[in-house]
Structure formats: structure tokens, C-alpha cells
Amino acid sequence: MAPKVKGGLGRGLESLFADTAPSAPSVEIKETAEASSKDSVKYISIHDIRPNENQPRKYFDPEKIDDLAKSINEHGVIQPIIVRKVEKGYEIVAGERRWRAAVKAGLTVVPTLVRELDDEENMLIAIIENMQREDLNPIEEAEGLNQMITVYKFTQEEVSKSVGKSRPYITNSLRLLKLPEYIREAVAGGTISSGHARTLIGVDPEKQEGIYKRIVSEGLSVRETEKLVNADGKNRKTKKKTKNADLLKVEAELKDALGTKVNILESGKKGKIEIEYYSKEELERLIDLLRSVK
């Protein structure tokens, strides 16, 4: 059985991607995984390879695939595709973009490295490889991180260590999944940024669409969107007391440190600090974070 990889997979990825090879063998090579050692490059029929159904990356830019296909025609596939043996042929672990471009370029075989991985390791490597190469859009990234937590029962701390991202980063990424589908699609397609989207998370659903449309039509910056959302919140129900700049600055600092919305309420010499959470896991994360403060 392949070893478990929770908490440290990211540190060992270099061994997966270090090998390089031309797009086709210089001499005829029998295309079987058993023909040589596991660390050597194997040339496998492109038709015996299929994509990973759990690949977090769902969108591949057709123009970039075309550009890569042209490069492959000229220079070959420089870096092998990582695959694992499955019941019928091989499944891609990392390198689906290269495989798609190789198909478009008309190659019949491609260089591969065959790895023995279980489903969990396969999914994790696919997520981490894409994140390290910055190949995922923010929604694909959030869905991949969420899969680690919901399907494979990782804690946010284990996710943080595995992908090399801070816990506030993980939390902010996951919060994007709380948005309506049309906003998630806009983020995935690059119509608005993840920064824009995060400002909309706490907005009433009936208000979100109107603000979203203004972001797109008026080309609002993230800061301008934040001001719009804050103004909308102040006008809702009762008019709230205006906070001074120092208090707003402290709220922003706490928001960055805790990875969630923080509200400071003053009443004379007294007051309270409200820290929002959106799930049991996030509450546990915040409790652990606060306990670590000495």
C-alpha cells in the first residue's frame, strides 16, 4: 500500500517533476510499464492515457493549448506526464495540459513517469501541482481544498501544510464557495477577481446581484467595491455610528490575522469584538488560533 501523505506532500513534489525527456524515443521502445525501473521515462500510447476525473482544474484555455501544441511540434514534450496504472490503461496524475496539447499536435506516444498512487495521493498531487504552477483559477482552487477537507477528512492545518499556504489563505479561499453560482462562474472566468468576490460574501443575497453588476459595468476596483458594500450596510435598517479611521484600521488588521470578518463595537468606554465564523471547522480553527496567542 502506498504511504499516506497528509501534512507533507508538498515537500516531496520535486522528485515527481525533476525528470525530462524528448517527446518521442530515439529508438523503438516497447510501451509497457514493466519494461524498466519506476523512475525511468516510459513512452506510452497517447490513446492509453485518460484524464483524471478528480482533476481540480476544469478549464483549459484553448489558445494556450494551441500554443503549447505548436511548441511540442517544434521541440517535443520536454517534461514527462505523470501517470498511474488503472484498470484500463493509465490515468493522468499531473500534466493534463501537456497531454491535451500532445493530442492536438498529433503525437502517438508521450513520455511518462508511472507512479503507484492511491486515490487520495493522486488527488492531492493534482491539487498541489496545479497550485504550485498557479494553474488553477480561484474557484477551482477552493473546490480542490474543500475536497481535501470534506472527502479525505484533512484538517485546515493539514491542508495548510500540504499545499504550503497559510491558514487564513485557506479560509479565505473556502469562503468563495459560499457565493452564488453566477458569482463563482464570474470569478472562475476572470470577469471579477477573488478580492471582489470576497467583499460580496457578507452581503444580503438580494443586494449581491446589483453590486456585482456595478462591479462589471463600472469596472469598480476592490477598494471601491468595499466602500460600496460598507455604504450599503450602513444604510440598512438603522444608521450606525460612523467609526473612526483608527478603529477601521484595527478591524482590517484583525481580519487579515484571523482570516475572517471582525467587527469592533464601541459604547462609551466599553465595547465588544465580534469575530464571524461560517462552519464548525472554522470555529475550531479560530479557537486554536486564539489559544496560541501568548
Side-chain angles (χ1 to χ4, degrees), residues 133-147:
R133 297 174 189 273
E134 299 183 350
D135 281 343
L136 299 178
N137 66 55
I139 300 302
E140 289 174 334
E141 182 176 282
E143 289 173 343
L145 296 174
N146 187 56
Q147 189 178 16

Side-chain angles (χ1 to χ4, degrees), residues 158-229:
E158 289 170 333
V159 173
S160 174
K161 290 181 179 179
S162 291
V163 302
K165 300 289 186 180
S166 69
R167 289 177 68 174
Y169 180 97
I170 302 298
T171 299
N172 283 328
S173 179
L174 293 172
R175 291 177 70 209
L176 294 175
L177 300 180
K178 302 178 184 298
L179 289 163
E181 185 176 356
Y182 72 92
I183 295 180
R184 297 199 305 270
E185 290 178 352
V187 175
T191 303
I192 65 173
S193 71
S194 56
H196 286 108
R198 279 193 291 271
T199 66
L200 297 173
I201 291 173
V203 178
D204 290 341
E206 63 269 19
K207 299 280 188 178
Q208 281 179 334
E209 186 173 3
I211 296 175
Y212 163 73
K213 288 180 177 178
R214 288 192 60 180
I215 294 171
V216 176
S217 63
E218 299 176 27
L220 299 180
S221 68
V222 174
R223 181 59 60 86
E224 289 170 334
T225 305
E226 289 175 344
K227 290 181 179 178
L228 181 61
V229 169

